[in-house]
Amino acid sequence: MSGIYIHIPFCKQACHYCDFHFSTSLKKKEELVEALLIELKLRKKENVGEVATIYFGGGTPSLLSLEEINTILNEVFHLYPVIDNPEITLEANPDDLTEEVIKNLAASRINRLSIGVQSFFEEDLKLMNRAHNAEEALVSIELATQYFNNISIDLIYGIPDMSNERWRENLTIALGLGVPHISSYALTVEPKTALKKMIETGKVKPVEEDLAKSHFEILITTLEEAGFINYEFSNFGKPNYFSKNNTAYWLGKPYLGIGPSAHSFNGEHRSWNISNNAKYIKSIFQEELPSQVEELSVVDRYNEYVMTRLRTQFGVNLAEIENLFGKKLATYFKKEAQVFYDKELLQEENHKILITKKGKFLSDGIAADLFYVE
């Protein structure tokens, strides 16, 4: 089974930490929606198989009207074989989620909301230049839980001047709202972002790895005690509420990425569309795909497998490595992994090699050390 990701490249304002592709001008929104419909038609020939998940990401997909969302979804269902009861997620910002909007979304095919809260504290939201305030965050979730069963919220930790106590309170508030899924990420300083410039000019304190590590440990303990499963480094879900869309990515299943900057993967090669709205629209209107393609070698696919699996509860399986990538790479992984067993950063459980609790915050570095470099 496969997924379809639809990138909506518009935002009301630019968050200081964000390096995703988006525009704060909505002038081309109608043309962009039309281009998405055309790309869906052009990509039909790629034959990705049955579609199990549809995900509206961005940007801020909640800036679309209900009519635009339904038009896109109707085209997906018309062109592609979609399973019964697919997971259909819409990313939304709290300031867009009035009760009327939520009611209308609940009456559509959307069955999962991912709400970009980031923090329940005003000072954090202002530092990040979020478009919503703390009150809107609370109200949007309280309303959403009246109409949606499957809700995820995003929270950011490691924010300068965020104490452990304030981080705990963020989590306490989230748990009190009864959402079944939380995605939580460390604040990172990306090149060419406003946050990086603010840190360089001394307007904002530097991001500290030790603070992020402390917050991550609090996150793990607090959510596990509340019955959440840390099924991927940054994702926590109650049983039966894991993101099917994201899980498919981590398990290496194919997906189509529709829209400017969107990535696609078919198991053997990866492609990505141009990160420019005007050029994307012009090319699509000429029925040309504005994308680049990267053929993935066996080693590329092995390295991606190691990176994604070690972040998840699914872990690495040596028999699977040998079956997918050959005995040489299975032998290599087994040999190189020994040092991490010795340091109690990796463990074997039911034929799966997993990151230990001690090693979780280091998972990306551990994976990188297990990459095969030709």
Side-chain angles (χ1 to χ4, degrees):
M1 297 204 180
S2 63
I4 293 180
Y5 171 84
I6 300 164
H7 189 75
I8 307 301
F10 300 108
C11 289
K12 287 180 183 175
Q13 62 191 50
C15 297
H16 287 156
Y17 57 86
C18 184
D19 70 341
F20 291 166
H21 170 65
F22 68 92
S23 169
T24 54
S25 169
L26 302 182
K27 286 191 293 186
K28 292 186 178 294
K29 185 159 75 83
E30 288 184 14
E31 286 180 278
L32 190 282
V33 170
E34 188 178 347
L36 295 176
L37 300 177
I38 295 171
E39 187 183 0
L40 282 166
K41 290 176 185 174
L42 295 175
R43 304 289 294 278
K44 182 184 176 182
K45 61 187 177 184
E46 295 183 30
N47 189 25
V48 295
E50 282 192 308
V51 174
T53 65
I54 303 166
Y55 193 100
F56 287 85
T60 311
S62 52
L63 288 176
L64 293 182
S65 68
L66 183 67
E67 181 182 1
E68 289 168 332
I69 291 168
N70 285 334
T71 297
I72 294 168
L73 283 175
N74 288 342
E75 193 70 350
V76 172
F77 276 78
H78 172 67
L79 294 170
Y80 295 85
V82 181
I83 67 167
D84 294 335
N85 302 314
E87 177 189 87
I88 306 179
T89 303
L90 180 85
E91 288 184 353
N93 277 356
D95 47 301
D96 295 325
L97 293 178
T98 64
E99 184 165 14
E100 182 181 4
V101 167
I102 293 169
K103 283 174 68 174
N104 287 336
L105 289 172
S108 75
R109 285 184 164 120
I110 301 292
N111 53 31
R112 183 174 184 269
L113 289 182
S114 177
I115 305 175
V117 173
Q118 316 311 355
S119 177
F120 291 104
F121 289 89
E122 214 66 62
E123 52 265 54
D124 300 331
L125 297 173
K126 287 179 180 177
L127 183 149
M128 293 184 282
N129 199 41
R130 297 291 293 169
H132 67 277
N133 59 42
E135 178 67 17
E136 287 171 324
L138 287 169
V139 171
S140 69
I141 298 170
E142 289 168 350
L143 289 171
T145 55
Q146 296 176 32
Y147 298 94
F148 280 87
N149 178 45
N150 199 350
I151 298 171
S152 177
I153 65 170
D154 287 354
L155 293 174
I156 291 179
Y157 59 87
I159 298 171
D161 286 330
M162 177 188 274
S163 65
N164 287 346
E165 290 71 26
R166 191 157 91 217
W167 176 234
R168 285 192 183 94
E169 193 168 346
N170 255 319
L171 296 173
T172 299
I173 293 169
L175 292 173
L177 292 166
V179 295
H181 190 280
I182 295 174
S183 295
S184 192
Y185 308 93
L187 181 66
T188 54
V189 184
E190 303 292 348
K192 300 180 182 179
T193 59
L195 177 61
K196 182 172 176 60
K197 188 171 184 180
M198 290 163 71
I199 290 173
E200 288 174 343
T201 57
K203 292 181 180 178
V204 174
K205 290 181 180 178
V207 173
E208 298 177 11
E209 185 175 342
D210 286 346
L211 178 67
K213 186 174 185 292
S214 176
H215 287 178
F216 181 72
E217 289 167 355
I218 292 168
L219 175 69
I220 293 277
T221 301
T222 304
L223 294 190
E224 286 186 348
E225 287 176 353
F228 285 76
I229 298 168
N230 184 206
Y231 68 104
E232 191 271 344
F233 181 84
S234 300
N235 286 270
F236 301 77
K238 290 283 184 75
N240 301 317
Y241 286 98
F242 298 174
S243 167
K244 294 177 182 176
N245 175 81
N246 293 351
T247 298
Y249 292 160
W250 301 320
L251 292 177
K253 295 185 179 180
Y255 57 90
L256 280 183
I258 305 295
S261 83
H263 283 59
S264 302
F265 174 68
N266 73 353
E268 295 181 356
H269 72 251
R270 190 175 306 285
S271 63
W272 56 94
N273 287 339
I274 192 169
S275 298
N276 181 295
N277 291 355
K279 291 180 179 179
Y280 167 80
I281 291 168
K282 181 180 179 181
S283 182
I284 290 294
F285 280 0
Q286 294 170 349
E287 298 194 352
E288 296 175 359
L289 293 175
S291 60
Q292 290 181 270
V293 178
E294 176 189 11
E295 296 293 335
L296 299 175
S297 68
V298 171
V299 169
D300 290 333
R301 289 187 283 120
Y302 160 82
N303 288 342
E304 289 196 7
Y305 172 94
V306 171
M307 173 60 80
T308 54
R309 289 300 185 90
L310 283 181
R311 288 179 61 96
T312 71
Q313 67 167 7
F314 312 112
V316 167
N317 183 297
L318 284 175
E320 193 171 30
I321 289 181
E322 184 170 343
N323 181 53
L324 292 172
F325 314 115
K327 188 172 182 177
K328 176 184 174 182
L329 288 172
T331 302
Y332 172 83
F333 181 93
K334 186 175 181 179
K335 176 178 176 292
E336 297 298 316
Q338 188 57 53
V339 65
F340 298 108
Y341 286 117
D342 297 341
K343 293 179 180 178
E344 298 181 341
L345 300 175
L346 288 180
Q347 64 185 6
E348 191 163 348
E349 184 180 303
N350 299 324
H351 306 294
K352 294 187 297 185
I353 298 163
L354 303 164
I355 295 276
T356 63
K357 199 164 188 176
K358 178 182 175 182
K360 274 194 174 181
F361 194 71
L362 306 170
S363 59
D364 285 352
I366 294 169
D369 285 343
L370 293 168
F371 287 173
Y372 187 88
V373 180
E374 292 181 293

